[in-house]
Amino acid sequence: MAQDWHTQAERMVQEQIAARGVRDPRVLEAMRRVPRHLFVPEAYRSSAYEDHPLPIGHGQTISQPFIVAYMTELLDLPPDAKVLEIGTGSGYQAAVLAHLAREVHTIERFPALAEAAQRRLEALGLDNVTVHVGDGSHGLPEHAPFDGILVAAAAPEVPVALLAQLVEGGHLVIPVGARGMQRLERWTRRADGFHREVLDAVAFVPLIGAHGWPEDDTHA
Ligand code: SAH
């Protein structure tokens, strides 16, 4: 690294994240503490703290730092939270969540990505994260309910199976829409039903699975 990673992470937090309106000090601190360069392939290490997503293999990407921070803030986790992430990818988002929650479960459909993420999380001593392999569009009923659910891949519509796994007051944050172009949505479970907020335009890789897109659908 040309520059100490802490310096790069601090600049990332100030210029890309705080400057765009993420205010929660716990989220900003978590973004400072996770060494993002350890979650990207060697070839991209020097651009790990830059303002864009990066390829991580299998046609997948690690999200832009701002998006990770913004979605984490939208979860608005209580202390001692139990969280579910769908789409582990590199494990970076899970590492950020690990600094804010008591218990993190994350699901990835590609075993090789899940294994690499698990190794990184273990090496960092983040032992409150469990990586699962499978179709995360079903959620994780055996560990439900969750205080927050973050979906890091885009679905054609909100998987009802996930809504059912939220505690009352809990939030589900998910990109919803067509392949290549979606809106971020936040769903909140209330005593009398679900409240939906439609937020920013985003572009995530597709959620492939029973409550997502079919694997071979390349036309949408
Ligand atoms: N959060 C990740 C980035 C995720 S990219 C990070 O911090 O690096 C989206 C990931 O979702 C990809 O790794 C993709 O393989 C995975 N994915 C897509 N559909 C899935 C499904 N149904 N269940 C679990 N993982 C899925």
Side-chain angles (χ1 to χ4, degrees):
M1 303 290 293
Q3 228 180 9
D4 176 44
W5 76 265
H6 290 289
T7 310
Q8 296 195 46
E10 182 60 37
R11 182 180 299 162
M12 171 189 88
V13 165
Q14 294 306 329
E15 295 177 3
Q16 302 169 31
I17 298 172
R20 289 198 184 106
V22 173
R23 294 275 179 266
D24 186 334
R26 295 187 316 141
V27 174
L28 299 178
E29 184 56 20
M31 297 299 296
R32 282 188 190 99
R33 288 173 66 180
V34 179
R36 184 170 161 96
H37 61 284
L38 300 181
F39 290 84
V40 303
E42 291 264 350
Y44 294 108
R45 284 220 169 146
S46 60
S47 36
Y49 296 89
E50 290 175 6
D51 194 15
H52 46 73
L54 287 167
I56 55 170
H58 296 268
Q60 308 303 319
T61 52
I62 177 174
S63 305
Q64 178 194 21
F66 167 71
I67 287 290
V68 172
Y70 180 44
M71 290 177 82
T72 306
E73 184 174 64
L74 286 171
L75 283 180
D76 195 17
L77 296 172
D80 283 338
K82 182 161 70 167
V83 190
L84 174 65
E85 181 201 18
I86 293 148
T88 314
S90 69
Y92 177 70
Q93 172 77 70
V96 170
L97 292 171
H99 286 288
L100 293 161
R102 174 176 49 85
E103 188 178 331
V104 180
H105 292 273
T106 179
I107 316 178
E108 170 56 52
R109 61 186 287 263
F110 286 111
L113 289 178
E115 279 161 31
Q118 170 113 53
R119 275 199 303 277
R120 294 183 183 111
L121 294 162
E122 271 170 20
L124 291 171
L126 298 173
D127 55 12
N128 57 337
V129 185
T130 309
V131 182
H132 305 258
V133 176
D135 176 5
S137 73
H138 298 289
L140 208 55
E142 62 273 34
H143 292 281
F146 299 98
D147 298 292
I149 302 178
L150 188 159
V151 185
E157 56 195 33
V158 169
V160 283
L162 299 183
L163 290 174
Q165 292 172 36
L166 278 179
V167 299
E168 196 178 314
H171 301 290
L172 165 68
V173 177
I174 179 171
V176 178
R179 284 186 175 224
M181 202 188 83
Q182 310 94 30
R183 299 292 290 266
L184 212 50
E185 294 190 1
R186 177 164 75 170
W187 291 66
T188 304
R189 184 173 205 154
R190 293 184 175 164
D192 59 351
F194 292 93
H195 171 74
R196 180 176 79 140
E197 296 159 87
V198 179
L199 305 164
D200 310 54
V202 288
F204 275 78
V205 297
L207 180 77
I208 305 293
H211 300 281
W213 296 97
E215 181 139 24
D216 59 353
D217 181 357
T218 51
H219 310 294

